[in-house]
Amino acid sequence: VTEEPVKRGAVKSPKLRLWHYGLLAASLLALWGTGLAWVWLHYFGEIEGEFGPEPNPLNPFLLSLHGFFLLPALLAMGGLMAVHIGMGWRYRHKRNSGIAQTALYLTLILTGYGLYYAGDDLLRENLSLAHWTIGAAAPVIFIWHLIVRLNRP
Ligand code: HEM
Ligand code: HEM
């Protein structure tokens, strides 16, 4: 036990705990998988109903899974605000990809929120298209952020 007073926000490293990294990667992968599965069934998975083609009945289930995985994803992203982004900012080589990721997830959150409430059909269609095309690119940005060298010579 130390007598030193503990400073507020005394964590110094942007490195993530393994569980935090795992929670981020797993929940984002799950969002991506359920999102793209929805897109596939939406465009190519119509079933033959009594009165012609009908939307695939699996899609509402996929959306409920998507909504479930959103919860750990937001929790893990919220955790980044405490230390990761602030401490990571000093490492210039990670900055652009970090900003890109932050912007990407902000956009997904806003367009996703819009999807809950957009009544107008045309608006809903555009929000949906924006949401899933940006979502489809998320892993590319994630991997870009991972592989950029921390210290260039
Ligand atoms: C402006 C925003 C951000 C900055 C400046 C930033 C900076 C950094 C830095 C410096 C590292 C290297 C840490 C190390 O290994 O020593 C890193 C790694 C990492 N970042 Fe970010 N980051 C930002 C946003 C994000 C976001 C939004 C996510 C996820 C959605 C994220 C996920 C990760 C992951 C998974 C690693 C690798 C794990 C690790 O090295 O511990 N970062 N980031
Ligand atoms: C931070 C990440 C994400 C958040 C916060 C988020 C949020 C949401 C929300 C709130 C909805 C509306 C659900 C409903 O209407 O019941 C939704 C739908 C959807 N999301 Fe995401 N999502 C994220 C990532 C992704 C990713 C990575 C993809 C991959 C392509 C994706 C694809 C979709 C699709 C296809 C829909 C259905 C669109 C529609 O109903 O027209 N999402 N998302």
Side-chain angles (χ1 to χ4, degrees):
V1 182
T2 163
E3 294 300 307
E4 289 268 307
V6 180
K7 279 216 202 102
R8 201 183 285 281
V11 190
K12 292 268 163 48
S13 164
K15 256 208 188 318
L16 301 174
R17 304 287 176 94
L18 202 58
W19 67 261
H20 195 171
Y21 187 1
L23 191 66
L24 264 179
S27 54
L28 292 175
L29 189 70
L31 280 174
W32 191 73
T34 50
L36 286 188
W38 183 95
V39 172
W40 178 263
L41 291 182
H42 184 70
Y43 289 104
F44 307 111
E46 289 195 323
I47 56 162
E48 213 43 67
E50 215 175 320
F51 309 104
E54 285 175 9
N56 196 298
L58 266 182
N59 257 353
F61 173 66
L62 282 173
L63 269 194
S64 74
L65 279 182
H66 194 72
F68 173 75
F69 289 122
L70 219 144
L71 304 172
L74 289 179
L75 194 67
M77 284 184 219
L80 295 171
M81 295 195 285
V83 176
H84 184 78
I85 292 179
M87 285 296 142
W89 194 258
R90 302 196 227 154
Y91 300 84
R92 291 193 43 207
H93 302 112
K94 290 276 190 188
R95 216 182 268 174
N96 286 342
S97 59
I99 292 172
Q101 287 221 92
T102 310
L104 186 131
Y105 291 117
L106 268 179
T107 314
L108 285 176
I109 290 166
L110 290 176
T111 51
Y113 175 82
L115 280 171
Y116 278 146
Y117 299 108
D120 180 74
D121 274 354
L122 186 64
L123 176 64
R124 195 168 200 296
E125 195 119 329
N126 284 316
L127 276 175
S128 173
L129 211 60
H131 183 80
W132 74 256
T133 47
I134 292 167
V140 179
I141 315 278
F142 190 87
I143 291 167
W144 173 32
H145 188 64
L146 287 185
I147 63 178
V148 164
R149 299 250 312 268
L150 198 54
N151 297 303
R152 289 224 189 101

